[in-house]
Amino acid sequence: MKLNSIMSCYLCGNPKDRSMKVTDSQKWFILACLGLSIWLLSLLSPILGPFLTAILLAYMGDPIVDKLQTWKLSRTQGVVVTFLALTAVFVLAGLILVPALVEQIDQLIKLIPTLINYIKSTFIPMVEAKFGVELAQLDWLQLSQQLNWGATGNIAKNIIGNVTQSSFALIGFIGNLVLVPVVWFYLLRDWDDVIAKIGALIPRYYYKKSSHLASACHETLGAFFRGQLMVMLALAVIYSVGLMLIGLDLGLLIGLLAGLASVVPYLGAIVGIGAALVAAFFQFGDITHLVLVAVVFGVGQTLEGTVLTPKFVGDRIGLHPVAVIFAVLAGGQLFGFVGILLALPTAAVIMVLVRQMHDNYRVSELYGPDHHDEDDSDNGLTDADDNANDSEVTKEQTDDELNRPEEK
């Protein structure tokens, strides 16, 4: 089968319904341009972070601006209101959370020597005595000295010191910090025009199908961003509040990390409960608080499975947990942090395209025009069952004719 037929069949439907087709040479040209674009993205991945962040913020802010426009505000006025409101939210969250997180990170680093000493003096001898094995020996003193950053004071000073060691890194950080809001503002203001110009480039005989696919991708991405972010935020609040209520010093830090990691199924709960159990063990040293930690994460997982995910996400994304894990790992392997940022949205869009290809394949000539066998098998009927049913119907009709009185 030619490339033109394959792509038309699986992506755009039955090619017989097209009065105009793209030639094989044009298809190869499109594929070459697509491959070149992917190659350029891989080369430019180190500088794409601010632009991708701005695109994500613009995509999430566009529905808010559209809503403000229905309230008789101009597009620019709506963008300014949205920009100022979201900026205020981010700044307020930073002012509230950053000092507490810095303090808890400092506590965590001061806890590391205690953890290392416990592993060296208690845990390793216990494992060696119980299982009769000799674990690899490390220079624990040197490791402890290297990790004992807390002795130098506040961790924020160390971070600032490391950043300022390289003037280029500092300039790059400040540049990205300024670049994101600028790009975000202009993208948000011109979002509808950009989408319209992209739509104007699509060939007219593919426009209807492309518009349908774009709408499906938009719905899936919207469900992912709105739903998954709400689930992550809710879990972060549940875990943080629960851990702080039981008195865990690192409750806020562990709760936020567990909420962020919940973007990958079960990863947030695994990472969070592991870190919380270790922190509770060294802080309290009793079974009661370990049980309370397990209760907090048990409540969070129960709410996620019964309330949060069904309400905010549902079945609109349709990504299997294994597919989510693979997408995140593949994105990180191929493009680093930018790949992780794009992994799940890209996987959601690919899932929409795969579903469309599957639907077109089911009605294509390659799959076969006759689906009666499948319908019969779905109903639990076989050929023998059909013959038996036909025989019963014939027998009933014959009995009725014999018992029916003769018409005069």
Side-chain angles (χ1 to χ4, degrees):
M1 187 180 290
K2 292 183 177 180
L3 176 66
N4 177 64
S5 302
I6 294 175
M7 295 187 66
S8 299
C9 175
Y10 291 153
L11 287 178
C12 301
N14 192 347
K16 292 184 177 180
D17 298 332
R18 307 290 180 187
S19 58
M20 186 176 183
K21 300 178 184 178
V22 178
T23 63
D24 281 346
S25 60
Q26 291 171 331
K27 288 289 180 65
W28 283 114
F29 176 75
I30 293 173
L31 289 177
C33 291
L34 181 61
L36 179 62
S37 300
I38 295 175
W39 179 68
L40 288 176
L41 286 177
S42 65
L43 290 180
L44 298 175
S45 58
I47 65 170
L48 290 181
F51 295 94
L52 293 176
T53 304
I55 291 173
L56 175 61
L57 293 174
Y59 178 78
M60 296 177 62
D62 180 64
I64 303 176
V65 178
D66 292 339
K67 184 66 176 179
L68 292 175
Q69 285 186 278
T70 62
W71 296 349
K72 307 304 180 182
L73 291 178
S74 66
R75 180 76 185 181
T76 302
Q77 291 173 341
V79 170
V80 171
V81 172
T82 303
F83 181 82
L84 293 177
L86 293 180
T87 301
V89 171
F90 291 146
V91 171
L92 184 61
L95 291 176
I96 294 175
L97 294 178
V98 169
L101 289 176
V102 168
E103 181 182 353
Q104 293 199 1
I105 292 174
D106 199 30
Q107 294 178 1
L108 175 62
I109 292 179
K110 291 178 180 179
L111 182 64
I112 290 178
T114 305
L115 176 61
I116 293 177
N117 184 61
Y118 174 80
I119 294 175
K120 177 185 177 182
S121 61
T122 305
F123 181 75
I124 291 181
M126 180 183 65
V127 172
E128 291 179 342
K130 186 173 183 178
F131 296 99
V133 296
E134 184 176 354
L135 300 179
Q137 297 297 319
L138 297 176
D139 190 349
W140 295 102
L141 180 60
Q142 181 181 0
L143 181 62
S144 177
Q145 291 175 350
Q146 291 177 351
L147 295 178
N148 189 16
W149 298 332
T152 62
N154 194 295
I155 185 62
K157 296 180 181 178
N158 298 313
I159 295 176
I160 295 175
N162 291 331
V163 171
T164 54
Q165 286 179 359
S166 174
S167 57
F168 289 105
L170 180 61
I171 293 174
F173 175 77
I174 297 176
N176 291 338
L177 198 62
V178 175
L179 185 61
V180 169
V182 172
V183 177
W184 174 25
F185 179 85
Y186 284 108
L187 279 178
L188 189 57
R189 188 192 65 177
D190 301 330
W191 187 263
D192 292 341
D193 294 337
V194 171
I195 298 300
K197 289 179 180 179
I198 293 175
L201 296 175
I202 300 174
R204 297 299 92 183
Y205 47 90
Y206 285 144
Y207 181 81
K208 185 176 180 181
K209 196 68 176 179
S210 300
S211 178
H212 172 72
L213 288 175
S215 299
C217 292
H218 172 69
E219 182 179 355
T220 302
L221 286 176
F224 168 76
F225 285 124
R226 292 189 300 269
Q228 195 63 36
L229 289 178
M230 289 298 295
V231 171
M232 291 166 57
L233 178 61
L235 288 177
V237 172
I238 292 171
Y239 293 148
S240 300
V241 172
L243 294 176
M244 287 189 293
L245 285 177
I246 67 175
L248 190 65
D249 292 338
L250 302 178
L252 177 61
L253 177 62
I254 295 175
L256 290 179
L257 291 177
L260 293 176
S262 63
V263 67
V264 178
Y266 309 113
L267 180 61
I270 294 173
V271 172
I273 195 171
L277 288 175
V278 172
F281 175 77
F282 281 98
Q283 181 178 344
F284 302 104
D286 56 21
I287 300 297
T288 302
H289 285 86
L290 298 182
V291 173
L292 290 177
V293 167
V295 169
V296 169
F297 281 91
V299 171
Q301 286 299 294
T302 302
L303 290 176
E304 180 188 10
T306 59
V307 178
L308 298 177
T309 298
K311 179 177 178 59
F312 294 117
V313 180
D315 297 328
R316 290 172 291 180
I317 299 178
L319 287 177
H320 193 274
V322 176
V324 173
I325 296 173
F326 177 80
V328 172
L329 293 178
Q333 177 66 28
L334 294 175
F335 301 107
F337 175 75
V338 174
I340 295 176
L341 188 66
L342 290 178
L344 291 182
T346 303
V349 172
I350 292 175
M351 184 62 65
V352 173
L353 299 178
V354 169
R355 289 196 192 104
Q356 181 64 42
M357 293 175 64
H358 175 264
D359 293 340
N360 291 335
Y361 165 69
R362 292 292 297 273
V363 298
S364 65
E365 294 180 355
L366 178 62
Y367 184 76
D370 189 7
H371 304 290
H372 294 299
D373 294 339
E374 181 183 350
D375 295 337
D376 291 342
S377 62
D378 291 340
N379 293 326
L381 298 177
T382 62
D383 293 338
D385 295 330
D386 292 338
N387 295 333
N389 291 337
D390 294 339
S391 301
E392 291 177 2
V393 172
T394 304
K395 184 177 182 300
E396 291 176 359
Q397 292 175 349
T398 304
D399 293 340
D400 290 341
E401 290 176 357
L402 293 175
N403 296 329
R404 186 183 306 157
E406 226 177 75
E407 294 182 2
K408 294 182 182 179

